[in-house]
């Protein structure tokens, strides 16, 4: 076995990090109108420079900007696509008198199009910060974006304008794929070679409650994974040469909670055999993800990144336990086609998980050390 010279790496990660207190303070001041967008960006730049160095110091070869310019992992990107609108989250009162924040709703109100380069300026700053460290190849700046399936699953047919799209197939899927393709091309032209799409929907289709919700919206949860595989493959058809395109499956990561559970079996074949992506980041940090048997569908040449280290809690995993679980996974897919990572980011939204800043370092160091001992 050997270390990989291109993404994904034997020790990889999903991308987001806890925001430093001074960045949260600046965001709050910006929301109140006390500082402008340019001043906020200066603070973000400082925080990103620090998190880039942090990742390099830990020994990671894929480097992100920590998603420090975002509030939500998906909304901030999707609402910048032409034809997409998000409704501001509202506080709802539950029957027991408690209150909770309803998640923002994404709606397609017009033809979807690539109205502007969304991640380009952010990537260029990230790339410059990585270059400034003078690290040897294959250290690679990585961009994370939400999966295009997010525009369909949450609202289903009802969330997509019938005026713009009387029929979804193929025009809606083609339009979204073209928009994503133009975004990927703008990044590739700037030197980006590693993009990860974050997807909750394939993971949610492993959960019977979510599957029933899909039925109530008029969708067949057995058919959706295969439809989404075709959808993703339309995006892959636009992928620039030389770019690694990965997908991370997330079961929910808001403030250390999860939204879905269930074995990957209902989606495994569509995901690991039908999707023409380069790599798949799968959450496997506890029992809610089931066993490793679904990995038997992993196609030759594809890579699965095992998310065995939790970002939800600070307790550090045992290196021996991680190695044992990697051995279990290797019964169903070749070890050479595997890598290791945390199960998710540390802060999928600006709110962050209930974990200490130093625990981020300990968790990532464990991933790096374990990968080195397993793969050489």
């Amino acid at each position: 076995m050997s270390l990989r010279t291109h993404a994904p790496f034997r020790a990889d990660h999903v991308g987001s990090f806890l925001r430093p207190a001074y960045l949260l303070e600046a965001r709050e001041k910006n929301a109140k109108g006390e500082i402008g967008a340019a001043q906020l960006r200066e603070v973000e730049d400082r925080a990103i420079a620090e998190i880039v160095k942090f990742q390099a110091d830990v020994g990671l070869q894929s480097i992100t900007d920590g998603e420090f310019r975002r509030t939500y992992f998906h909304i901030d990107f999707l609402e910048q696509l032409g034809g997409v609108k998000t409704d501001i989250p509202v506080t709802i009162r539950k029957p027991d008198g408690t209150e909770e924040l309803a998640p923002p709703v994404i709606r397609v109100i017009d033809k979807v199009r690539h109205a502007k380069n969304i991640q380009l300026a952010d990537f260029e700053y990230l790339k410059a910060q990585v270059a400034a460290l003078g690290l040897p190849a294959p250290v690679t700046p990585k961009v994370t974006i939400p999966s295009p399936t997010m525009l369909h699953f949450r609202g289903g047919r009802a969330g997509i304008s019938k005026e713009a799209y009387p029929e979804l197939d193929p025009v809606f899927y083609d339009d979204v794929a073209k928009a994503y393709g133009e975004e990927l091309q703008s990044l590739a032209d700037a030197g980006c070679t590693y993009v990860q799409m974050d997807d909750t929907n394939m993971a949610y289709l492993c959960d019977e409650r979510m599957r029933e919700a899909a039925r109530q919206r008029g969708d067949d949860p057995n058919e959706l994974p295969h439809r989404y595989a075709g959808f993703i493959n339309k995006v892959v058809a636009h992928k620039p040469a030389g770019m690694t395109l990965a997908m991370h499956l997330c079961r929910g990561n808001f403030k250390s909670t999860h939204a879905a559970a269930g074995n990957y079996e209902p989606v495994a074949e569509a995901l690991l055999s039908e999707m023409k992506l380069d790599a798949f980041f799968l959450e496997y940090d506890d029992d809610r993800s089931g066993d490793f048997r679904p990995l038997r569908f992993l196609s030759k040449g594809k890579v699965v990144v095992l998310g065995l280290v939790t970002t939800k809690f600070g307790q550090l995993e045992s290196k021996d336990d991680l190695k044992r679980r990697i051995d279990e996974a290797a019964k169903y897919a070749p070890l050479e086609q595997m890598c290791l990572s945390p199960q998710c980011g540390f802060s999928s939204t600006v709110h962050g998980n209930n974990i200490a800043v130093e625990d981020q370092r300990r968790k990532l160091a464990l991933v790096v050390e374990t990968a080195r001992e397993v793969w050489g």
Side-chain angles (χ1 to χ4, degrees), residues 135-376:
L135 299 169
V139 173
T140 304
K142 168 172 144 179
V143 173
T144 62
I145 61 176
S147 168
T149 66
M150 306 291 289
L151 292 176
H152 177 270
F153 184 77
R154 296 291 177 91
R157 167 73 264 196
I160 301 169
S161 165
K162 289 189 176 181
E163 288 72 28
Y165 296 106
E167 300 293 336
L168 296 186
D169 196 7
V171 183
F172 167 74
Y173 301 112
D174 286 344
D175 284 355
V176 176
K178 182 173 182 290
Y180 266 71
E182 291 175 9
E183 177 69 13
L184 294 178
Q185 189 61 58
S186 75
L187 290 168
D189 291 343
C192 179
T193 60
Y194 191 11
V195 174
Q196 171 190 299
M197 299 189 296
D198 295 316
D199 189 297
T200 60
N201 307 319
M202 292 293 281
Y204 283 8
L205 285 168
C206 301
D207 188 299
E208 186 49 46
R209 293 178 302 111
M210 302 288 190
R211 292 170 64 82
E212 179 57 30
R215 291 187 192 100
Q216 295 299 319
R217 290 194 300 271
D219 286 311
D220 178 356
N222 294 318
E223 179 269 338
L224 273 181
H226 301 284
R227 192 196 314 177
Y228 287 162
F231 189 10
I232 293 299
N233 287 344
K234 287 177 181 285
V235 175
V236 175
H238 292 279
K239 184 186 76 166
M243 177 180 283
T244 295
L245 189 58
M247 174 179 283
H248 168 243
L249 268 67
C250 178
R251 296 161 181 270
N253 196 48
F254 180 71
K255 291 185 177 180
S256 295
T257 63
H258 68 271
N263 193 289
Y264 286 108
E265 198 67 29
V267 304
E269 186 170 13
L271 180 75
L272 301 176
S273 289
E274 295 176 21
M275 284 191 188
K276 298 176 182 178
L277 294 164
D278 300 303
F280 307 89
F281 285 70
L282 301 185
E283 295 194 341
Y284 267 119
D285 57 322
D286 63 17
D287 292 342
R288 75 181 185 283
S289 298
D291 60 28
F292 293 113
R293 290 188 68 252
L295 298 183
R296 70 190 185 278
F297 288 108
L298 185 66
S299 298
K300 187 176 181 179
K302 309 298 182 185
V303 175
V304 64
V305 186
L306 300 174
L308 302 181
V309 174
T310 191
T311 63
K312 296 183 184 297
F313 310 104
Q315 182 175 355
L316 194 65
E317 288 80 358
S318 155
K319 191 185 296 183
D320 287 341
D321 285 346
L322 294 182
K323 290 179 179 179
R324 176 183 55 79
R325 297 201 69 207
I326 292 169
D327 285 343
E328 289 176 11
K331 295 176 183 176
Y332 301 101
L335 184 62
E336 184 65 25
Q337 288 177 245
M338 294 183 190
C339 299
L340 178 65
S341 76
Q343 121 278 347
C344 198
F346 293 91
S347 188
S348 298
T349 71
V350 71
H351 313 86
N353 282 353
N354 299 323
I355 188 170
V357 171
E358 186 52 35
D359 289 332
Q360 293 184 132
R361 183 182 297 274
R362 295 167 61 239
K363 296 269 185 176
L364 291 168
L366 176 63
V367 169
V368 171
E369 291 166 13
T370 304
R372 187 177 296 127
E373 292 178 17
V374 170
W375 285 281

Side-chain angles (χ1 to χ4, degrees), residues 4-250:
R4 291 175 57 83
T5 57
H6 62 279
F9 299 101
R10 295 300 186 194
D12 216 307
H13 67 116
V14 172
S16 65
F17 290 97
L18 297 172
R19 277 58 159 178
Y22 70 83
L23 175 55
L24 293 174
E25 181 181 344
R27 289 179 64 92
E28 188 172 338
K29 286 182 177 179
N30 175 253
K32 293 178 179 177
E34 296 174 7
I35 64 172
Q39 291 170 287
L40 174 59
R41 194 166 183 90
E42 287 179 5
V43 179
E44 291 170 344
D45 286 351
R46 170 191 163 194
I48 290 168
E50 291 173 358
I51 202 65
V52 164
K53 186 175 186 306
F54 164 83
Q55 293 167 78
D57 289 346
V58 171
L60 292 170
Q61 292 171 297
S62 65
I63 309 287
T64 73
D65 65 3
E67 301 183 11
F68 281 180
R69 303 194 198 274
R70 296 185 189 171
T71 302
Y72 295 92
F73 82 93
H74 56 324
I75 295 294
D76 300 56
F77 178 93
L78 293 173
E79 67 181 3
Q80 296 187 69
L81 289 171
V84 177
K85 181 177 178 8
T86 57
D87 296 331
I88 299 173
V90 295
T91 301
I92 58 175
R93 183 175 292 275
K94 295 161 65 175
D96 63 2
T98 60
E99 294 183 343
E100 68 178 11
L101 193 66
V105 177
I106 307 166
R107 293 185 292 126
V108 175
I109 61 171
D110 201 349
K111 292 284 189 180
V112 178
R113 64 195 183 283
H114 187 246
K116 61 180 178 178
N117 295 330
I118 301 172
Q119 292 293 139
L120 180 59
D122 296 349
F123 170 73
E124 289 176 333
Y125 182 77
L126 171 64
K127 180 184 175 184
Q129 293 305 305
V130 173
L133 295 178
L135 299 169
V139 173
T140 304
K142 168 172 144 179
V143 173
T144 62
I145 61 176
S147 168
T149 66
M150 306 291 289
L151 292 176
H152 177 270
F153 184 77
R154 296 291 177 91
R157 167 73 264 196
I160 301 169
S161 165
K162 289 189 176 181
E163 288 72 28
Y165 296 106
E167 300 293 336
L168 296 186
D169 196 7
V171 183
F172 167 74
Y173 301 112
D174 286 344
D175 284 355
V176 176
K178 182 173 182 290
Y180 266 71
E182 291 175 9
E183 177 69 13
L184 294 178
Q185 189 61 58
S186 75
L187 290 168
D189 291 343
C192 179
T193 60
Y194 191 11
V195 174
Q196 171 190 299
M197 299 189 296
D198 295 316
D199 189 297
T200 60
N201 307 319
M202 292 293 281
Y204 283 8
L205 285 168
C206 301
D207 188 299
E208 186 49 46
R209 293 178 302 111
M210 302 288 190
R211 292 170 64 82
E212 179 57 30
R215 291 187 192 100
Q216 295 299 319
R217 290 194 300 271
D219 286 311
D220 178 356
N222 294 318
E223 179 269 338
L224 273 181
H226 301 284
R227 192 196 314 177
Y228 287 162
F231 189 10
I232 293 299
N233 287 344
K234 287 177 181 285
V235 175
V236 175
H238 292 279
K239 184 186 76 166
M243 177 180 283
T244 295
L245 189 58
M247 174 179 283
H248 168 243
L249 268 67
C250 178

